[in-house]
Amino acid sequence: MQPTLTSDLIRQVRNQIRELNKNGITDQEIIDTLNRGQQRGMEVMTRNWPYNYIVRTEIVTDEQGMFTIPEEAKGNRIVSVEVGRTDIDGTFYKLKLLNFKDVTRYRNLQYPTGTSQPVAYYIQGRKAEVFPKGITKLFIYYIRNPESLK
């Protein structure tokens, strides 16, 4: 099967709307419309079937327990954050997502000495913070934005 090219899509749209005049509707207008349709279709699909579009990425936090959400994450949303248990058997566990009311309590919480495994995270904008703070390797799951047509 041959791949569908952008020029093929433009030709198909022009045939569908019976508009052959390139001055009436430009190729860029057609591409922009197709990209909007793709974004809307992706929103509907991920609302009902997110598992086909989830990406897993490994991230290391800085000393303050902060990390930046990847640019390609749809809506800067994270589906889940996991960390590996280095102290037991290397299995992974999910971190608790905090709401803004609980963040101060976790920031001021006195963790036992030697506690380095995070238990929770908080998202604000494109940044996320894990508690307790420290350098940690995390696995984040998010829905990736579809690539735009060009």
Side-chain angles (χ1 to χ4, degrees), residues 74-110:
K74 184 161 185 57
N76 293 329
R77 290 179 291 190
I78 294 177
V79 175
S80 179
V81 177
E82 290 182 346
V83 67
R85 290 183 190 222
T86 56
D87 56 341
I88 302 176
D89 57 2
T91 59
F92 292 90
Y93 64 95
K94 184 177 173 179
L95 299 184
K96 176 184 176 184
L97 173 61
L98 300 176
N99 65 28
F100 70 95
K101 297 175 188 175
D102 296 329
V103 173
T104 304
R105 185 172 57 116
Y106 274 81
R107 279 191 184 132
N108 297 330
L109 193 62
Q110 295 298 318

Side-chain angles (χ1 to χ4, degrees), residues 6 10 14 22 25-36 148-150:
T6 327
I10 292 170
R14 286 195 185 283
K22 291 188 178 187
I25 297 174
T26 66
D27 290 352
Q28 189 57 51
E29 289 173 327
I30 292 173
I31 294 290
D32 292 343
T33 303
L34 291 171
N35 282 328
R36 281 194 306 275
S148 295
L149 299 173
K150 295 177 182 153

